[in-house]
Amino acid sequence: MNERMVARILGKNLSVSAVGLGCMGFSHAYGAPMEEKEAVRLLRQAAEMGYTFFDTAEVYGTPDDPHMNERLVGEALAPVRDKVVIATKFGLRFDFESGKIPLPLIPDSRPESIRQSVEGSLKRLGTDHIDLYFQHRIDPHIPPEEVAGVMADLILEGKITHWGISEANEDYLRRAHAVCPVTAVQNRYSMMARHYEPLFPVLEELKVGLVAFSPMANGFLTGKYGKGEHFDRRYDYRAAMPQFADEAVERNQKLLELLHHLAAQKNATPAQISLAWMLCKKPWIVPIPGTRKPDRMAENAGAADVMLSPQEVEVLDEALNHMQMSEVFGGSPLNK
């Protein structure tokens, strides 16, 4: 295990690598699922590079193998289980019957569903506890106090050690946190999606970490995509994402130029700048970019070493505030 990546603390005491690995793309949403042996090999390689934080969910899979991702993560990390933090999620299923891509989501956080989910996840991950258990989406039919009560019970039973909420808002977070302290929220956050920034003072006050998913706007901020990109409509959600349309690439030129300019100054890559921007903003933000390429994994991990001063972050924010940008993918539809 390479210890070269610095650690960050989520919540009161959950220590994770400054950059985590979003594992979804190995089996869901970014092209046809990877060959299993290759995915396991890559996950192990990430652990050797110094990643200690791996994010999966019970629903990351395919219609034929709906829970494939957890199985892969469990198998890959078994040899280093005591050295890594595994986050997984409950409270969501995909509407495979709809025929729509991206697949619509159906929230379900009834206590009996959570109980069923936690047992399934523990089994597939091959572990006796989940380090960080996220409610995958808020269920409008179940009060936050009820969900938090189940989490408190699962912590007492030793089945989970910390919990969190994905796509959390202030009211829900405060109500849940009052019943069972929340370690982290996992929200969409990137230079192109900053609508959760008003929540930052609340996170600071409650000592709750932010796990940032889609930190590079689904890969757009790597600067590697131009016009005429082709994505497989059946397997790859990027085919329907507005930021990859040809006209969007034109609208986002200023943003890409800004990234390239700063990357050249800092001897870094645009991808590293887009991650360093949030890492240098708050010590409790941990991005979880996903990738299937070992060199990208190493590049993303290297973002933890790129230093931006508070002034540089401020200048970037100011530029982003006044910059023309395209729409960016905001998430799959929720069937309520």
PDB file of all heavy atoms in Angstrom, residues 127-150:
ATOM      1  N   THR A 127     -17.928  -8.168   3.669  1.00  0.00           N
ATOM      2  CA  THR A 127     -17.395  -7.486   4.852  1.00  0.00           C
ATOM      3  C   THR A 127     -18.399  -7.558   5.990  1.00  0.00           C
ATOM      4  O   THR A 127     -19.576  -7.845   5.762  1.00  0.00           O
ATOM      5  CB  THR A 127     -17.071  -6.006   4.499  1.00  0.00           C
ATOM      6  OG1 THR A 127     -16.408  -5.392   5.600  1.00  0.00           O
ATOM      7  CG2 THR A 127     -18.324  -5.207   4.179  1.00  0.00           C
ATOM      8  N   ASP A 128     -17.933  -7.307   7.210  1.00  0.00           N
ATOM      9  CA  ASP A 128     -18.865  -7.355   8.347  1.00  0.00           C
ATOM     10  C   ASP A 128     -19.389  -5.965   8.708  1.00  0.00           C
ATOM     11  O   ASP A 128     -20.214  -5.817   9.591  1.00  0.00           O
ATOM     12  CB  ASP A 128     -18.208  -8.024   9.565  1.00  0.00           C
ATOM     13  CG  ASP A 128     -16.987  -7.256  10.066  1.00  0.00           C
ATOM     14  OD1 ASP A 128     -16.594  -6.263   9.400  1.00  0.00           O
ATOM     15  OD2 ASP A 128     -16.413  -7.633  11.097  1.00  0.00           O
ATOM     16  N   HIS A 129     -18.859  -4.905   8.035  1.00  0.00           N
ATOM     17  CA  HIS A 129     -19.379  -3.559   8.301  1.00  0.00           C
ATOM     18  C   HIS A 129     -19.151  -2.668   7.084  1.00  0.00           C
ATOM     19  O   HIS A 129     -18.218  -2.883   6.310  1.00  0.00           O
ATOM     20  CB  HIS A 129     -18.676  -2.933   9.519  1.00  0.00           C
ATOM     21  CG  HIS A 129     -17.258  -2.545   9.247  1.00  0.00           C
ATOM     22  ND1 HIS A 129     -16.227  -3.465   9.200  1.00  0.00           N
ATOM     23  CD2 HIS A 129     -16.696  -1.338   8.951  1.00  0.00           C
ATOM     24  CE1 HIS A 129     -15.086  -2.840   8.904  1.00  0.00           C
ATOM     25  NE2 HIS A 129     -15.341  -1.551   8.741  1.00  0.00           N
ATOM     26  N   ILE A 130     -20.008  -1.680   6.942  1.00  0.00           N
ATOM     27  CA  ILE A 130     -19.866  -0.672   5.880  1.00  0.00           C
ATOM     28  C   ILE A 130     -19.342   0.597   6.549  1.00  0.00           C
ATOM     29  O   ILE A 130     -19.882   1.045   7.561  1.00  0.00           O
ATOM     30  CB  ILE A 130     -21.229  -0.419   5.187  1.00  0.00           C
ATOM     31  CG1 ILE A 130     -21.651  -1.671   4.389  1.00  0.00           C
ATOM     32  CG2 ILE A 130     -21.161   0.800   4.268  1.00  0.00           C
ATOM     33  CD1 ILE A 130     -23.131  -1.745   4.102  1.00  0.00           C
ATOM     34  N   ASP A 131     -18.269   1.166   6.004  1.00  0.00           N
ATOM     35  CA  ASP A 131     -17.622   2.326   6.645  1.00  0.00           C
ATOM     36  C   ASP A 131     -18.454   3.604   6.532  1.00  0.00           C
ATOM     37  O   ASP A 131     -18.442   4.438   7.434  1.00  0.00           O
ATOM     38  CB  ASP A 131     -16.234   2.571   6.025  1.00  0.00           C
ATOM     39  CG  ASP A 131     -15.348   1.346   6.157  1.00  0.00           C
ATOM     40  OD1 ASP A 131     -15.023   0.972   7.291  1.00  0.00           O
ATOM     41  OD2 ASP A 131     -14.998   0.746   5.113  1.00  0.00           O
ATOM     42  N   LEU A 132     -19.123   3.775   5.392  1.00  0.00           N
ATOM     43  CA  LEU A 132     -19.911   4.987   5.177  1.00  0.00           C
ATOM     44  C   LEU A 132     -21.116   4.601   4.327  1.00  0.00           C
ATOM     45  O   LEU A 132     -20.973   4.181   3.177  1.00  0.00           O
ATOM     46  CB  LEU A 132     -19.054   6.052   4.465  1.00  0.00           C
ATOM     47  CG  LEU A 132     -19.669   7.408   4.168  1.00  0.00           C
ATOM     48  CD1 LEU A 132     -20.313   8.041   5.396  1.00  0.00           C
ATOM     49  CD2 LEU A 132     -18.628   8.362   3.575  1.00  0.00           C
ATOM     50  N   TYR A 133     -22.311   4.718   4.929  1.00  0.00           N
ATOM     51  CA  TYR A 133     -23.535   4.237   4.283  1.00  0.00           C
ATOM     52  C   TYR A 133     -24.395   5.434   3.909  1.00  0.00           C
ATOM     53  O   TYR A 133     -24.910   6.141   4.777  1.00  0.00           O
ATOM     54  CB  TYR A 133     -24.274   3.320   5.257  1.00  0.00           C
ATOM     55  CG  TYR A 133     -25.235   2.342   4.612  1.00  0.00           C
ATOM     56  CD1 TYR A 133     -24.971   1.790   3.356  1.00  0.00           C
ATOM     57  CD2 TYR A 133     -26.399   1.947   5.274  1.00  0.00           C
ATOM     58  CE1 TYR A 133     -25.843   0.883   2.775  1.00  0.00           C
ATOM     59  CE2 TYR A 133     -27.273   1.031   4.699  1.00  0.00           C
ATOM     60  CZ  TYR A 133     -26.988   0.507   3.449  1.00  0.00           C
ATOM     61  OH  TYR A 133     -27.857  -0.401   2.877  1.00  0.00           O
ATOM     62  N   PHE A 134     -24.511   5.685   2.602  1.00  0.00           N
ATOM     63  CA  PHE A 134     -25.235   6.865   2.120  1.00  0.00           C
ATOM     64  C   PHE A 134     -26.675   6.538   1.749  1.00  0.00           C
ATOM     65  O   PHE A 134     -26.922   5.532   1.069  1.00  0.00           O
ATOM     66  CB  PHE A 134     -24.565   7.412   0.844  1.00  0.00           C
ATOM     67  CG  PHE A 134     -23.344   8.255   1.077  1.00  0.00           C
ATOM     68  CD1 PHE A 134     -22.083   7.794   0.697  1.00  0.00           C
ATOM     69  CD2 PHE A 134     -23.445   9.522   1.646  1.00  0.00           C
ATOM     70  CE1 PHE A 134     -20.949   8.573   0.874  1.00  0.00           C
ATOM     71  CE2 PHE A 134     -22.316  10.312   1.837  1.00  0.00           C
ATOM     72  CZ  PHE A 134     -21.068   9.839   1.451  1.00  0.00           C
ATOM     73  N   GLN A 135     -27.586   7.419   2.151  1.00  0.00           N
ATOM     74  CA  GLN A 135     -28.918   7.399   1.554  1.00  0.00           C
ATOM     75  C   GLN A 135     -28.749   7.968   0.150  1.00  0.00           C
ATOM     76  O   GLN A 135     -28.332   9.118  -0.022  1.00  0.00           O
ATOM     77  CB  GLN A 135     -29.892   8.254   2.369  1.00  0.00           C
ATOM     78  CG  GLN A 135     -31.300   8.222   1.804  1.00  0.00           C
ATOM     79  CD  GLN A 135     -32.280   9.069   2.593  1.00  0.00           C
ATOM     80  OE1 GLN A 135     -31.885   9.969   3.342  1.00  0.00           O
ATOM     81  NE2 GLN A 135     -33.566   8.804   2.441  1.00  0.00           N
ATOM     82  N   HIS A 136     -29.053   7.173  -0.869  1.00  0.00           N
ATOM     83  CA  HIS A 136     -28.673   7.504  -2.248  1.00  0.00           C
ATOM     84  C   HIS A 136     -29.462   8.693  -2.799  1.00  0.00           C
ATOM     85  O   HIS A 136     -28.934   9.502  -3.554  1.00  0.00           O
ATOM     86  CB  HIS A 136     -28.871   6.279  -3.149  1.00  0.00           C
ATOM     87  CG  HIS A 136     -28.004   6.269  -4.351  1.00  0.00           C
ATOM     88  ND1 HIS A 136     -27.626   5.122  -4.997  1.00  0.00           N
ATOM     89  CD2 HIS A 136     -27.410   7.270  -5.055  1.00  0.00           C
ATOM     90  CE1 HIS A 136     -26.857   5.412  -6.028  1.00  0.00           C
ATOM     91  NE2 HIS A 136     -26.713   6.717  -6.096  1.00  0.00           N
ATOM     92  N   ARG A 137     -30.735   8.779  -2.452  1.00  0.00           N
ATOM     93  CA  ARG A 137     -31.548   9.954  -2.771  1.00  0.00           C
ATOM     94  C   ARG A 137     -32.599  10.078  -1.673  1.00  0.00           C
ATOM     95  O   ARG A 137     -33.055   9.082  -1.112  1.00  0.00           O
ATOM     96  CB  ARG A 137     -32.273   9.821  -4.125  1.00  0.00           C
ATOM     97  CG  ARG A 137     -31.386   9.962  -5.351  1.00  0.00           C
ATOM     98  CD  ARG A 137     -30.861  11.379  -5.524  1.00  0.00           C
ATOM     99  NE  ARG A 137     -30.031  11.481  -6.723  1.00  0.00           N
ATOM    100  CZ  ARG A 137     -28.747  11.160  -6.789  1.00  0.00           C
ATOM    101  NH1 ARG A 137     -28.120  10.713  -5.711  1.00  0.00           N
ATOM    102  NH2 ARG A 137     -28.063  11.295  -7.914  1.00  0.00           N
ATOM    103  N   ILE A 138     -33.005  11.309  -1.393  1.00  0.00           N
ATOM    104  CA  ILE A 138     -34.039  11.537  -0.392  1.00  0.00           C
ATOM    105  C   ILE A 138     -35.357  10.930  -0.874  1.00  0.00           C
ATOM    106  O   ILE A 138     -35.737  11.099  -2.034  1.00  0.00           O
ATOM    107  CB  ILE A 138     -34.180  13.051  -0.139  1.00  0.00           C
ATOM    108  CG1 ILE A 138     -32.959  13.566   0.645  1.00  0.00           C
ATOM    109  CG2 ILE A 138     -35.469  13.381   0.598  1.00  0.00           C
ATOM    110  CD1 ILE A 138     -32.846  15.072   0.720  1.00  0.00           C
ATOM    111  N   ASP A 139     -36.028  10.218   0.015  1.00  0.00           N
ATOM    112  CA  ASP A 139     -37.348   9.650  -0.276  1.00  0.00           C
ATOM    113  C   ASP A 139     -38.391  10.627   0.262  1.00  0.00           C
ATOM    114  O   ASP A 139     -38.497  10.812   1.477  1.00  0.00           O
ATOM    115  CB  ASP A 139     -37.472   8.281   0.405  1.00  0.00           C
ATOM    116  CG  ASP A 139     -38.804   7.595   0.092  1.00  0.00           C
ATOM    117  OD1 ASP A 139     -39.747   8.295  -0.315  1.00  0.00           O
ATOM    118  OD2 ASP A 139     -38.888   6.367   0.274  1.00  0.00           O
ATOM    119  N   PRO A 140     -39.160  11.265  -0.617  1.00  0.00           N
ATOM    120  CA  PRO A 140     -40.111  12.283  -0.149  1.00  0.00           C
ATOM    121  C   PRO A 140     -41.197  11.734   0.771  1.00  0.00           C
ATOM    122  O   PRO A 140     -41.889  12.500   1.447  1.00  0.00           O
ATOM    123  CB  PRO A 140     -40.718  12.829  -1.455  1.00  0.00           C
ATOM    124  CG  PRO A 140     -40.434  11.816  -2.502  1.00  0.00           C
ATOM    125  CD  PRO A 140     -39.211  11.074  -2.085  1.00  0.00           C
ATOM    126  N   HIS A 141     -41.343  10.407   0.814  1.00  0.00           N
ATOM    127  CA  HIS A 141     -42.411   9.803   1.623  1.00  0.00           C
ATOM    128  C   HIS A 141     -41.944   9.381   3.020  1.00  0.00           C
ATOM    129  O   HIS A 141     -42.756   8.974   3.848  1.00  0.00           O
ATOM    130  CB  HIS A 141     -43.001   8.590   0.896  1.00  0.00           C
ATOM    131  CG  HIS A 141     -43.441   8.919  -0.497  1.00  0.00           C
ATOM    132  ND1 HIS A 141     -44.484   9.789  -0.770  1.00  0.00           N
ATOM    133  CD2 HIS A 141     -42.959   8.535  -1.714  1.00  0.00           C
ATOM    134  CE1 HIS A 141     -44.626   9.911  -2.080  1.00  0.00           C
ATOM    135  NE2 HIS A 141     -43.711   9.173  -2.672  1.00  0.00           N
ATOM    136  N   ILE A 142     -40.646   9.452   3.281  1.00  0.00           N
ATOM    137  CA  ILE A 142     -40.122   8.993   4.582  1.00  0.00           C
ATOM    138  C   ILE A 142     -39.409  10.157   5.265  1.00  0.00           C
ATOM    139  O   ILE A 142     -38.465  10.723   4.714  1.00  0.00           O
ATOM    140  CB  ILE A 142     -39.133   7.807   4.424  1.00  0.00           C
ATOM    141  CG1 ILE A 142     -39.738   6.691   3.567  1.00  0.00           C
ATOM    142  CG2 ILE A 142     -38.685   7.275   5.789  1.00  0.00           C
ATOM    143  CD1 ILE A 142     -40.855   5.898   4.199  1.00  0.00           C
ATOM    144  N   PRO A 143     -39.810  10.522   6.498  1.00  0.00           N
ATOM    145  CA  PRO A 143     -39.158  11.648   7.178  1.00  0.00           C
ATOM    146  C   PRO A 143     -37.686  11.350   7.479  1.00  0.00           C
ATOM    147  O   PRO A 143     -37.324  10.196   7.737  1.00  0.00           O
ATOM    148  CB  PRO A 143     -39.945  11.802   8.489  1.00  0.00           C
ATOM    149  CG  PRO A 143     -41.090  10.860   8.416  1.00  0.00           C
ATOM    150  CD  PRO A 143     -40.843   9.889   7.308  1.00  0.00           C
ATOM    151  N   PRO A 144     -36.845  12.398   7.464  1.00  0.00           N
ATOM    152  CA  PRO A 144     -35.408  12.185   7.736  1.00  0.00           C
ATOM    153  C   PRO A 144     -35.160  11.562   9.108  1.00  0.00           C
ATOM    154  O   PRO A 144     -34.231  10.775   9.285  1.00  0.00           O
ATOM    155  CB  PRO A 144     -34.809  13.591   7.650  1.00  0.00           C
ATOM    156  CG  PRO A 144     -35.952  14.545   7.661  1.00  0.00           C
ATOM    157  CD  PRO A 144     -37.147  13.817   7.169  1.00  0.00           C
ATOM    158  N   GLU A 145     -36.005  11.903  10.097  1.00  0.00           N
ATOM    159  CA  GLU A 145     -35.830  11.363  11.453  1.00  0.00           C
ATOM    160  C   GLU A 145     -35.944   9.841  11.457  1.00  0.00           C
ATOM    161  O   GLU A 145     -35.233   9.154  12.193  1.00  0.00           O
ATOM    162  CB  GLU A 145     -36.893  11.959  12.403  1.00  0.00           C
ATOM    163  CG  GLU A 145     -36.723  13.438  12.678  1.00  0.00           C
ATOM    164  CD  GLU A 145     -37.305  14.359  11.612  1.00  0.00           C
ATOM    165  OE1 GLU A 145     -37.867  13.869  10.598  1.00  0.00           O
ATOM    166  OE2 GLU A 145     -37.194  15.591  11.793  1.00  0.00           O
ATOM    167  N   GLU A 146     -36.839   9.325  10.603  1.00  0.00           N
ATOM    168  CA  GLU A 146     -37.046   7.869  10.548  1.00  0.00           C
ATOM    169  C   GLU A 146     -35.835   7.174   9.944  1.00  0.00           C
ATOM    170  O   GLU A 146     -35.364   6.150  10.442  1.00  0.00           O
ATOM    171  CB  GLU A 146     -38.311   7.566   9.733  1.00  0.00           C
ATOM    172  CG  GLU A 146     -38.854   6.175   9.995  1.00  0.00           C
ATOM    173  CD  GLU A 146     -40.214   5.939   9.336  1.00  0.00           C
ATOM    174  OE1 GLU A 146     -40.939   6.907   9.045  1.00  0.00           O
ATOM    175  OE2 GLU A 146     -40.529   4.762   9.118  1.00  0.00           O
ATOM    176  N   VAL A 147     -35.300   7.758   8.865  1.00  0.00           N
ATOM    177  CA  VAL A 147     -34.103   7.196   8.221  1.00  0.00           C
ATOM    178  C   VAL A 147     -32.928   7.238   9.201  1.00  0.00           C
ATOM    179  O   VAL A 147     -32.207   6.245   9.379  1.00  0.00           O
ATOM    180  CB  VAL A 147     -33.757   7.966   6.925  1.00  0.00           C
ATOM    181  CG1 VAL A 147     -32.449   7.460   6.315  1.00  0.00           C
ATOM    182  CG2 VAL A 147     -34.891   7.847   5.912  1.00  0.00           C
ATOM    183  N   ALA A 148     -32.748   8.386   9.857  1.00  0.00           N
ATOM    184  CA  ALA A 148     -31.639   8.549  10.810  1.00  0.00           C
ATOM    185  C   ALA A 148     -31.770   7.571  11.981  1.00  0.00           C
ATOM    186  O   ALA A 148     -30.762   7.059  12.487  1.00  0.00           O
ATOM    187  CB  ALA A 148     -31.595   9.983  11.319  1.00  0.00           C
ATOM    188  N   GLY A 149     -32.998   7.283  12.400  1.00  0.00           N
ATOM    189  CA  GLY A 149     -33.221   6.310  13.481  1.00  0.00           C
ATOM    190  C   GLY A 149     -32.735   4.922  13.092  1.00  0.00           C
ATOM    191  O   GLY A 149     -32.114   4.213  13.903  1.00  0.00           O
ATOM    192  N   VAL A 150     -32.991   4.536  11.841  1.00  0.00           N
ATOM    193  CA  VAL A 150     -32.507   3.232  11.353  1.00  0.00           C
ATOM    194  C   VAL A 150     -30.975   3.232  11.322  1.00  0.00           C
ATOM    195  O   VAL A 150     -30.326   2.256  11.697  1.00  0.00           O
ATOM    196  CB  VAL A 150     -33.091   2.895   9.954  1.00  0.00           C
ATOM    197  CG1 VAL A 150     -32.565   1.546   9.459  1.00  0.00           C
ATOM    198  CG2 VAL A 150     -34.616   2.881   9.979  1.00  0.00           C
TER     199      VAL A 150
END
